[in-house]
């Protein structure tokens, strides 16, 4: 997306190539004796998931983590069982699933549970961040220890307007703050930034708004937003979130973590 020379593109959320940076940093920070030895990569052929997986594979290999499986499946796939079985057969210490959401993430996890395959860590690029839509399928107990990259939001974050957002969301849709999915957060963040840009520009003129977007820093549910020349948010930080005790909480980077990473993750119940 950011290599085509678009000049009027503004991405509030973290770019896909940066999503799993913190996972690499975490794994390579482990003492050599504790570090996983092998990893299996499986990903949808999708412009969101592909760059995440492609970016970290050489980084982990350079850190001594051998690739046990690297499988890219068509985006239109509907039967995930044969692909999931390949992952089980690879028996890697870590599994990284390049999933676009709940529909392609949970079939892999259900296969792992059924086959009693317990990797030390399971990371999915999307799915575990979808709140109740995810846990209602996989089961709350089975969510324990699952990791998802995120660009900086969780229910207890002290970010701009987060308290107001949560109150309004729960009043409208019910449930609890932990049921809120990342898609809603990302959409609201876009609205926040646009509103700030309009207010700063004192105008609804597109050219004035875009110039304001290019030259200012904004605040959002996901943290600070500053656009680079290619439209990427250069101020955002990659986080790792893990389901622990029924909540999805930040566990890396260390200065933002609410708990240590559960490693190895608990065995399936």
């Amino acid at each position: 997306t950011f290599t085509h020379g678009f000049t009027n593109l503004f991405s509030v959320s973290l770019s896909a190539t940066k999503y799993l940076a913190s996972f690499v940093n975490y794994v390579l920070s482990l003492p050599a004796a504790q570090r996983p030895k092998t990893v299996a990569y499986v990903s949808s052929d999708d412009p969101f998931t592909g760059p995440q997986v492609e970016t970290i594979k050489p980084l982990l290999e350079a850190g001594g983590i051998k690739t046990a499986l690297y499988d890219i499946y068509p985006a239109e796939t509907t039967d995930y069982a044969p692909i999931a079985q390949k992952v089980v057969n690879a028996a890697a210490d870590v599994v990284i699933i390049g999933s676009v959401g709940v529909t392609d993430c949970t079939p892999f996890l259900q296969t792992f549970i059924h086959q009693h395959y317990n990797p030390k860590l399971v990371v999915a690029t999307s799915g575990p961040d979808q709140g109740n839509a995810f846990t209602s399928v996989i089961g709350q107990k089975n969510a324990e220890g699952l990791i998802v990259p995120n660009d900086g939001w969780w229910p207890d974050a002290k970010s701009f307007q987060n308290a107001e957002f949560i109150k309004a969301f729960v009043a409208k849709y019910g449930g609890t703050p932990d049921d809120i999915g990342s898609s809603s957060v990302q959409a609201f963040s876009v609205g926040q930034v646009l509103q700030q840009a309009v207010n700063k520009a004192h105008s609804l003129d597109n050219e004035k708004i875009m110039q304001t977007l290019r030259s200012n820093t904004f605040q959002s549910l996901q943290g600070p937003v500053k656009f680079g020349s290619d439209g990427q948010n250069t101020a955002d930080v990659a986080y790792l979130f893990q389901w622990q005790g029924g909540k999805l909480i930040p566990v890396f980077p260390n200065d933002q973590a609410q708990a240590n990473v559960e490693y190895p993750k608990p065995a399936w119940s």
Side-chain angles (χ1 to χ4, degrees), residues 61-267:
E61 288 178 341
I65 315 298
K66 295 182 179 179
T67 298
L69 176 72
Y70 185 78
D71 193 20
I72 306 298
Y73 55 86
E76 61 271 18
T77 296
T78 56
D79 182 8
Y80 301 98
I83 310 167
Q85 190 62 50
K86 289 183 184 180
V87 180
V88 174
N89 294 343
D93 294 332
V94 173
V95 174
I96 297 175
I97 306 171
S99 48
V100 297
V102 172
T103 54
D104 64 335
C105 174
T106 53
F108 284 97
L109 302 176
Q110 289 167 332
T111 297
F112 300 166
I113 294 166
H114 184 260
Q115 296 288 334
H116 306 290
Y117 169 46
N118 280 289
K120 294 180 179 179
L121 285 176
V122 178
V123 183
T125 56
S126 184
D129 55 345
Q130 297 301 310
N132 184 61
F134 173 73
T135 56
S136 63
V137 176
I138 196 68
Q140 187 65 71
K141 289 184 178 179
N142 288 325
E144 184 73 17
L146 297 176
I147 288 177
V148 62
N150 183 291
D151 52 2
W153 182 87
W154 65 99
D156 296 328
K158 305 303 180 185
S159 54
F160 180 59
Q161 296 181 333
N162 191 40
E164 295 92 331
F165 165 74
I166 289 175
K167 182 179 179 181
F169 190 98
V170 172
K172 175 73 173 179
Y173 300 106
T176 71
D178 293 308
D179 296 330
I180 299 174
S182 63
S183 297
S184 300
V185 174
Q186 292 170 349
F188 192 86
S189 296
V190 170
Q192 287 178 297
V193 171
L194 181 58
Q195 182 183 48
Q196 291 168 70
V198 169
N199 289 341
K200 287 177 181 288
H202 302 290
S203 174
L204 291 174
D205 178 77
N206 277 347
E207 286 298 328
K208 291 181 180 179
I209 292 171
M210 288 189 289
Q211 182 56 42
T212 301
L213 288 169
R214 294 186 186 102
S215 56
N216 288 269
T217 298
F218 306 91
Q219 297 300 321
S220 76
L221 296 181
Q222 301 172 100
V225 178
K226 186 173 179 60
F227 299 109
S229 59
D230 58 0
Q232 295 190 63
N233 181 1
T234 62
D236 212 350
V237 177
Y239 286 71
L240 284 184
F241 282 70
Q242 187 175 45
W243 278 99
Q244 293 189 14
K247 299 186 70 174
L248 189 63
I249 62 171
V251 291
F252 201 85
N254 291 329
D255 61 348
Q256 300 292 335
Q258 292 187 348
N260 294 325
V261 176
E262 286 185 346
Y263 174 76
K265 82 167 202 63

